[in-house]
């Protein structure tokens, strides 16, 4: 199949349909609305369910219901709308039913604005709903990857009977890139044994998030924790760029990851030893890979479109073995490659001061490091 | 040619800036290049500007955003004021009309003022000005062959505008021949 130019939001919608999504419930909000709009004509066209709910609270509870019936189901929204869904997602997670939610993140807090942001990391990864659990969180950096991770979202949700959140930022939702769509998968007809399908000729199934006695609820929590431990062991995904000889390792996901890649190319052209680790799963997080890198690299730089949220997970992984610095923009502002490059260059020269004369590539362009350099973990 | 060319197209809503940028992306994709297209989106005001960034590259594209593009097409005065100063030294600025007469030309880029509106009117459709400018951009930057844009028009012009394909191709060609050959001019 040849590549076509796809808008991120529409590509995710079509990818979900091709992955056999049977029902979509949602409520419009920029910069996610094209996803819902695409579903509104395309789902009926293929004989499936599209329903615009009265609110995000309604939408997520419809997802809960359809998930209990063993259907492939999803919703999508953007930051303020996702906040409204937190209660429902907690119930879904407690009930061990599979559901997929796409968050096309925008600037916050509050109503914020509609520009791209990554400030919902904590909400997604640490989870904004109540109780002890984490969703699986996937973070594409391109339209093609968004297509692939959408299909993966449904598979992981069903494999683990768990909540999967795919986080895009507004720019991936809005941008167009050439991408290849997978073939249409048939809708799965058989229902899982646990699903509520009308108990005729079998014992009844019960799906609930309430467990009155503390022993029972603790046992259920232990089950959820076992599931998460298994997920952490099996489902970590990330991409690496130029890490073999990197003194400085950038860690960035999604759009920040690809902007960091541009800055790193510029740095490599100047002979600076810089690499990138781009987490694709934010939960489970590539903790072990970062811990190994901490033995090799001299410093880390985390780049996010937030005040520094993934930064905490990087520091937990590095465990103080190397300094971890941060560069970020907030409120819908996007860091430009040259901004990141300047930070990278400053850190690299602090790690390896350029030789005073002669054999450097561009001695005139090399500033002396004014910064004392990364000496502690801040 | 550079490995990567970033182009900003900007104008009033309705002037076809976003579509012009998309055409570049389609043409680049059909030529086997890596491309990205990202629009300005937001609470725009009537009479305000809309712009997009198209990147055409020989390698996987990192940032879809750029501070200083290699080229820009500006279709109105606010766009000229905003993006004219941002074009990278050595880059190309296509000024698609007679606005901004007081604009001080930059000597470190190639500025080409195209009477896009007049050319479009002569072709019988005032809305072809964006495509005229695309022709000029291709002639000045050589980022893609003119034929690639013609094929993109043929493949991706919306159905309701399909009858305008010959006029679009002519607009592209007139924009291109308007640009003097740099070597001869120099």
């Amino acid at each position: 199949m040849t590549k076509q130019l796809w808008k991120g939001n529409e590509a995710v919608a079509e990818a979900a349909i091709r992955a056999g999504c049977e029902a979509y419930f949602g409520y419009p909000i920029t910069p996610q609305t094209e996803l819902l709009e695409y579903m509104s004509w395309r789902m009926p066209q293929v004989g499936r369910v599209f329903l615009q709910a009265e609110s995000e609270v309604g939408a997520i509870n419809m997802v809960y219901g359809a998930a209990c019936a063993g259907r492939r189901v999803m919703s999508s929204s953007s930051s303020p709308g996702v906040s409204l869904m937190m209660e429902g997602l907690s119930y879904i997670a407690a009930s061990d039913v599979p559901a997929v939610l796409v968050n096309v993140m925008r600037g916050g807090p509050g109503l914020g604005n509609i520009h791209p942001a990554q400030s919902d990391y904590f909400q997604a990864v640490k989870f904004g709903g109540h109780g002890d659990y984490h969703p699986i969180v996937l973070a594409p950096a391109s339209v093609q990857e968004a297509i692939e991770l959408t299909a993966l979202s449904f598979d992981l949700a069903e494999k683990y009977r768990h909540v999967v959140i795919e986080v895009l930022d507004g720019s991936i939702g809005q941008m167009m890139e050439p991408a290849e769509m997978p073939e249409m998968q048939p809708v799965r007809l058989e229902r899982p044994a646990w699903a509520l399908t009308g108990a005729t000729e079998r014992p009844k199934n019960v799906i609930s998030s309430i467990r009155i006695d503390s022993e029972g609820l603790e046992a259920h929590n232990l089950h959820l924790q076992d599931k998460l431990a298994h997920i952490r062991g099996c489902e970590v995904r990330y991409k690496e760029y130029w890490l073999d000889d990197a003194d400085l390792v950038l860690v960035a996901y999604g759009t920040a990851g690809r902007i960091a890649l541009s800055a790193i190319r510029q740095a490599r052209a100047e002979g600076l030893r810089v690499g990138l680790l781009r987490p694709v799963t934010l939960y489970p997080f590539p903790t072990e890979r970062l811990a190994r890198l901490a033995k090799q690299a001299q410093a880390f730089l985390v780049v996010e479109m937030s005040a520094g949220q993934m930064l905490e997970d990087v520091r937990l992984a590095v465990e103080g073995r190397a300094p971890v610095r941060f560069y970020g923009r907030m409120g819908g502002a996007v860091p430009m490659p040259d901004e990141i490059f300047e930070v990278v260059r400053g850190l690299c020269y602090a790690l390896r001061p350029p030789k005073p004369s002669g054999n450097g590539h561009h001695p005139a362009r090399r500033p002396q490091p004014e910064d004392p350099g990364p000496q502690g973990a801040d | 040619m550079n490995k990567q060319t970033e182009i900003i197209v900007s104008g009033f809503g309705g002037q076809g800036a976003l579509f012009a940028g998309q055409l570049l992306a389609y043409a680049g994709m059909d030529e086997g290049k890596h491309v990205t297209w990202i629009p300005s989106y937001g609470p725009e005001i009537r009479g305000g500007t809309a712009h997009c960034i198209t990147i055409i590259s020989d390698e996987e594209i990192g940032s879809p955003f750029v501070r200083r593009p290699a080229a820009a097409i500006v279709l109105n005065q606010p766009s000229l004021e905003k993006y004219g100063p941002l074009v990278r030294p050595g880059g190309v600025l296509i000024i698609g009309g007679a606005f901004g007469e007081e604009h001080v030309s930059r000597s470190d880029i190639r500025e080409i003022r195209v009477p896009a509106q007049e050319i479009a009117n002569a072709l019988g459709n005032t809305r072809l000005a964006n495509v005229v400018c695309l022709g000029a951009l291709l002639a000045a930057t050589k980022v893609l062959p003119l034929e690639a844009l013609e094929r993109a028009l043929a493949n991706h012009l919306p159905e309701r505008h399909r009858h305008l394909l010959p006029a679009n191709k002519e607009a592209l060609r007139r924009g291109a021949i308007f640009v003097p050959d740099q070597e001869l001019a120099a």
Side-chain angles (χ1 to χ4, degrees), chain A residues 90-325:
Chain A
S90 176
Y91 280 56
I92 291 171
S95 301
D96 272 332
V97 292
V100 172
L101 172 66
V102 176
N103 180 1
V104 186
M105 298 183 285
R106 61 187 241 181
L111 201 53
N113 64 31
I114 61 174
H115 298 297
Q118 296 181 321
S119 43
D120 302 349
Y121 179 94
F122 282 151
Q123 186 191 55
V125 169
K126 309 298 178 184
F127 216 52
H130 57 282
D132 261 326
Y133 70 104
H134 302 267
I136 295 170
V137 183
L138 308 176
S142 68
V143 173
Q144 184 69 59
E145 198 171 40
I147 290 167
E148 288 156 13
L149 293 185
T150 299
L152 180 67
S153 294
F154 286 103
D155 292 341
L156 292 179
E158 279 161 19
K159 182 176 178 185
Y160 296 105
R161 293 172 61 182
H162 201 59
V163 176
V164 178
I165 302 181
E166 185 180 356
V167 290
L168 284 63
D169 65 80
S171 59
I172 296 179
Q174 294 297 321
M175 76 187 292
M176 292 178 89
E177 276 189 305
E180 205 169 316
M181 254 327 141
E183 295 297 321
M184 181 77 86
Q185 298 301 311
V187 169
R188 185 194 54 194
L189 294 176
E190 75 282 8
R191 302 293 162 210
W194 50 261
L196 308 185
T197 55
T200 54
E201 298 174 10
R202 63 160 173 80
K204 69 177 179 182
N205 288 331
V206 177
I207 294 176
S208 173
S209 74
I210 190 168
R211 284 166 182 83
I212 297 290
D213 61 302
S214 54
E215 289 86 2
L217 184 52
E218 185 174 49
H220 182 60
N221 267 285
L222 287 169
H223 150 74
L224 289 175
Q225 292 302 316
D226 280 350
K227 183 161 83 171
L228 291 173
H230 186 66
I231 288 168
R232 285 195 300 272
C234 298
E235 303 298 347
V236 174
R237 289 168 171 82
Y238 52 85
K239 293 273 167 64
E240 300 189 355
Y241 306 81
W242 290 297
L243 284 182
D244 287 349
D245 64 342
D247 292 336
L248 177 66
V249 173
L250 271 66
V251 189
Y253 70 94
T255 293
R258 61 188 293 167
I259 298 173
L261 188 60
S262 289
I264 290 170
R265 281 185 184 141
Q266 199 179 344
R268 282 277 166 181
E270 283 205 12
L272 303 175
R273 293 187 187 176
V274 192
L276 171 69
L277 182 81
R278 179 169 68 77
V280 173
T281 51
L282 302 182
Y283 192 95
F285 195 67
T287 305
E288 283 177 25
R289 180 66 185 115
L290 278 163
R292 282 205 312 274
L293 281 168
K295 293 172 188 160
Q296 164 207 324
Q298 297 184 42
F300 291 82
L301 173 67
V302 179
V303 180
E304 295 180 68
M305 284 140 65
S306 79
Q309 300 191 8
M310 182 178 70
L311 171 65
E312 294 191 4
D313 284 332
V314 174
R315 285 189 170 146
L316 285 170
V318 170
E319 289 187 309
R321 284 184 290 252
V324 180
R325 293 301 176 96

